[in-house]
């Protein structure tokens, strides 16, 4: 029993779907002592919302008044019941909430309304033995107004709070109500949190820069870069980060709005922190993993990275090769206008040169060729002796017809510990990822009767190119190299074509792995 019912799922819409039955539909009480992880999946009934959000003609109809009162009573009963039930689950440590991310076009069905009732949210947050909460979807509905007259109880000492939302969310993306709600929640959690994930457009950054985060080890902000508004002028993100001295992992996945160049995390006019010898000092002495999208080449933040850094990712988000694709079309429909333009090679080189990271084991960069591009690979080959994994997205320069594969391989030859090399070299004969007009006509890899992957007509033209490139890297790089992967930009199926490096006596051969199960990982990277 303890193992069988450790993880349990509850259909959110069934909790209080029957307004005539005051007792919510929930897990049998006999299972409560065994539950450690509880998932609420799907939309909630949202009986706490005003009825006119479901039926716009009911405001002036007095016949609906008793039903509206019944709905609100049901929501309050559910909140009290969940509070008591969760308090009785002594083994409960994690709760996951998955709610709709799209505002429904037809609001006649209350089960389609997004968001979580403030009564329910308060009951969850106050569960004393709870330690981890993950919310995926929409936190609040635009009609939520309980913040005005409903105080949060004492919150549990959570160590992890994650609020995630896919970037495809439709407008309105930024919600002042969610910002205020998160500010009230985090005001009671920040002293205990060790892991925090937030959507960037609703993260209460202005409040976060005033709080101390003594235990925070993992911070992730994801979404559209917050723009300056009259009520919330922009400020350097370092004002938040300097409050997190024990940070180990920092991930900043910011999509860049059109016409707004990415600002530096640490502006040059802010000044540097130096010791009595005049050497730069890092605020984040424990920082080991860093991801920054669309880095600013003049950012002083990189000059303050610690020597203990193990993993660095400097990339676009979304990927540059996905521009003008189905994904980009979805974004435009959702009212998003993002410019994923990568840095030039010389700019990326300036960023890398700002810091000293001799212990780095994993590096990922994404940039456009030209203007010092050859220096990027030479610098990587000479400055990161401990590197085990290297992933590079290099987009060829205008009118560049031949990729300097041999020169790139020679530049990386000093990396004696490199085991996994993942490259997108944007070969001229490489098919572009399917655009909206092409989707449906493009053929994809499929299995033969023998269970092997068969190349499509699109792949057959460029496959000899990556076979030749794999052979060059296999013969040029150190004996530590185990796999070389080349990106095939697609929205479906496997993105990477993988070669295994095999040593046969004095000969070195790059063998194509034509059957790689979905989800296969090498050194933590999916191939």
């Amino acid at each position: 029993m303890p193992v069988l019912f450790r993880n349990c799922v509850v259909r959110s819409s069934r909790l209080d779907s029957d307004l005539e039955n005051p007792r919510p539909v929930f897990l049998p009480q006999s299972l409560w002592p065994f539950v450690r992880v509880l998932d609420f999946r799907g939309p909630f009934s949202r009986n706490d919302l005003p009825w006119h959000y479901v039926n716009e003609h009911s405001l002036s109809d007095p016949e609906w008044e008793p039903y509206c009162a019944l709905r609100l009573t049901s929501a309050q009963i559910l909140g009290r019941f969940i509070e008591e039930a969760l308090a009785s689950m002594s083994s409960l440590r994690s709760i996951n909430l998955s709610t709709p991310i799209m505002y429904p076009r037809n609001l006649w069905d209350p089960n389609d309304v997004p968001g979580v009732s403030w009564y329910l949210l308060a009951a969850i947050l106050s569960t004393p033995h709870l330690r981890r909460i993950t919310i995926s979807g929409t936190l609040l509905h635009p009609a939520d107004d309980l913040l005005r007259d409903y105080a949060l109880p004492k919150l549990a000492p959570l160590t992890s709070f994650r609020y995630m939302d896919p970037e495809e969310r439709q407008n309105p993306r930024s919600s002042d109500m969610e910002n205020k709600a998160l500010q009230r929640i985090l005001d009671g959690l920040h002293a205990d949190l060790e892991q925090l994930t937030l959507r960037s457009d609703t993260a209460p950054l202005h409040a976060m820069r005033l709080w101390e985060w003594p235990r925070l080890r993992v911070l992730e902000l994801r979404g559209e870069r917050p723009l300056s508004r009259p009520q919330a002028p922009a400020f350097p993100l370092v004002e938040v980060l300097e409050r997190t001295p024990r940070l180990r992992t920092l991930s900043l996945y910011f999509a860049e709005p059109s016409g707004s160049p990415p600002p530096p995390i640490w502006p040059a006019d802010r000044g540097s922190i130096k010791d009595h010898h005049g050497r730069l000092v890092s605020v984040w002495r424990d920082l080991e993993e860093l991801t920054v999208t669309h880095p600013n080449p003049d950012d002083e933040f990189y000059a303050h990275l610690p020597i203990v850094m193990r993993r660095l990712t400097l990339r676009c988000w979304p990927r540059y090769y996905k521009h003008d694709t189905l994904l980009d079309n979805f974004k435009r429909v959702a009212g998003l206008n993002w410019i994923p333009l990568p840095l030039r090679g010389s700019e990326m080189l300036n960023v890398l040169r700002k810091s000293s990271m001799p212990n780095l084991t994993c590096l990922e960069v994404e940039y456009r060729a030209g203007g010092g591009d050859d220096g990027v690979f030479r610098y990587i080959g000479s400055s990161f002796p401990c590197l085990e994994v290297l992933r590079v997205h290099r987009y060829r320069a205008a009118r560049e017809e031949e990729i300097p594969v041999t020169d790139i391989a020679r530049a990386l030859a000093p990396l004696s510990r490199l085991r996994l090399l993942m490259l997108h070299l944007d070969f001229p004969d490489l098919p572009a990822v399917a655009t909206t007009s092409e989707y449906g006509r493009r053929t994809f890899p499929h299995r033969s009767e023998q269970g092997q992957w068969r190349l499509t007509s699109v792949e057959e033209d460029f496959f000899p190119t990556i076979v030749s490139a794999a052979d060059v890297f296999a013969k040029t790089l150190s004996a530590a190299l185990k796999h070389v992967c080349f990106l095939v930009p697609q929205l479906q199926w496997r993105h990477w074509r993988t070669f295994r490096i095999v040593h046969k006596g004095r000969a070195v051969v790059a063998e194509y792995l034509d059957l790689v199960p979905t989800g296969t990982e090498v050194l933590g990277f999916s191939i």
Side-chain angles (χ1 to χ4, degrees), residues 73-298:
T73 299
S74 173
Q76 294 170 338
I77 291 175
L78 174 62
R80 290 193 294 269
F81 173 82
I82 293 297
E83 180 180 4
E84 295 173 0
L86 299 183
S88 301
M89 296 181 176
S90 56
S91 299
L92 185 64
R93 295 296 180 268
S94 299
I95 287 182
N96 303 316
L97 296 162
S98 300
T99 68
I101 62 174
M102 300 291 187
Y103 294 125
R105 296 180 179 179
N106 180 8
L107 294 181
W108 284 82
D109 184 356
N111 290 333
D112 287 338
V113 180
V116 183
S117 165
W118 196 246
Y119 296 115
L120 182 61
L121 196 58
I124 293 174
L125 290 168
S126 62
T127 304
H129 42 269
L130 194 65
R131 293 298 177 265
R132 295 172 293 277
I133 290 181
T134 298
I135 303 170
S136 178
T138 303
L139 178 62
L140 296 177
H141 188 278
D144 279 306
D145 59 0
L146 286 174
L147 289 172
R148 305 173 190 170
D149 52 17
Y150 191 87
L152 277 176
K154 182 179 179 180
L155 303 185
L158 296 180
T159 59
S160 175
F161 183 88
R162 307 181 68 207
Y163 176 31
M164 304 175 295
D165 185 30
E167 65 272 16
E168 290 86 352
R169 180 179 180 178
Q170 292 180 350
N171 285 345
R173 290 178 58 77
S174 181
S175 167
D176 289 336
M177 186 63 70
E178 286 193 0
N179 183 283
K180 294 175 182 177
L182 289 169
Q183 181 172 335
R184 293 182 61 179
I185 292 171
L186 294 177
D187 187 27
L189 298 178
H190 65 88
D192 296 303
L193 281 178
E194 298 176 8
Q195 180 178 14
L196 176 63
T197 299
L198 294 174
R199 282 181 34 223
S200 58
D201 58 330
T202 58
L205 297 176
H206 281 78
M208 291 171 63
R209 65 175 175 165
L210 303 177
W211 299 326
E212 299 295 336
W213 305 81
R215 299 183 180 181
L216 194 64
R217 298 298 186 96
V218 179
L219 174 61
E220 179 177 355
L221 299 175
R222 181 183 292 264
E224 187 171 284
R225 181 182 296 280
L227 297 177
S228 178
R229 296 175 294 170
Q231 66 273 28
F235 59 89
L237 192 59
V238 69
E239 294 187 17
V240 175
L241 300 180
E242 65 185 0
R243 301 281 186 170
T244 61
R246 300 188 66 186
L247 210 58
R248 287 187 179 273
T249 302
L250 173 62
S251 302
L252 303 175
Y253 289 93
F254 290 155
E256 294 302 328
S258 176
S260 174
I265 299 171
W266 187 317
D269 58 7
R270 181 181 174 84
S272 301
I273 301 177
K274 299 181 179 180
D275 60 17
H276 62 282
H277 296 294
R279 294 172 299 195
L280 292 176
V281 176
S282 176
V283 179
W284 311 275
R285 298 182 178 181
D286 298 329
L287 188 64
E288 296 182 346
E289 299 184 11
L290 173 65
T291 297
V292 178
T293 58
H294 309 282
N296 186 308
D298 299 321

Side-chain angles (χ1 to χ4, degrees), residues 29 126 135 137 150 228 249 266 284 310 339 374 391 419 461 487 491 505 516:
Q29 191 169 355
S126 62
I135 303 170
Y150 191 87
S228 178
T249 302
W266 187 317
W284 311 275
R310 300 286 183 181
I339 303 299
D374 53 346
R391 179 152 68 171
R419 299 166 60 191
D461 294 335
L487 181 71
L491 292 179
V516 180

Side-chain angles (χ1 to χ4, degrees), residues 289-355:
E289 299 184 11
L290 173 65
T291 297
V292 178
T293 58
H294 309 282
N296 186 308
D298 299 321
D299 199 333
E300 288 300 309
F301 175 68
Y302 305 103
H304 291 81
L305 296 180
I307 200 171
V308 299
M309 281 283 298
R310 300 286 183 181
R311 182 167 181 165
L312 175 64
T313 300
L314 304 171
R315 52 163 290 185
C316 296
W317 190 78
R319 291 289 189 188
Y320 181 59
Y321 68 80
K322 293 182 180 180
H323 201 48
D324 272 339
T325 64
L326 269 177
L327 178 64
D328 193 59
N329 184 61
F330 292 151
K331 303 253 186 290
R332 286 195 297 269
V333 171
L336 307 176
N337 188 11
W338 295 347
I339 303 299
L341 193 62
L343 294 181
R344 292 188 293 269
S346 58
E347 295 172 321
M348 180 60 70
L349 184 58
N350 287 340
V351 173
L352 293 175
R353 282 175 170 168
K354 284 180 177 291
S355 55

Side-chain angles (χ1 to χ4, degrees), residues 433-454:
V433 63
T435 62
T436 304
S437 59
E438 293 173 337
Y439 195 80
R441 302 201 312 265
R442 178 72 65 87
T443 56
F444 296 99
H446 58 281
R447 294 183 189 275
S448 66
E449 295 180 356
Q450 291 76 30
Q452 302 291 310
W453 284 98
R454 295 183 58 189

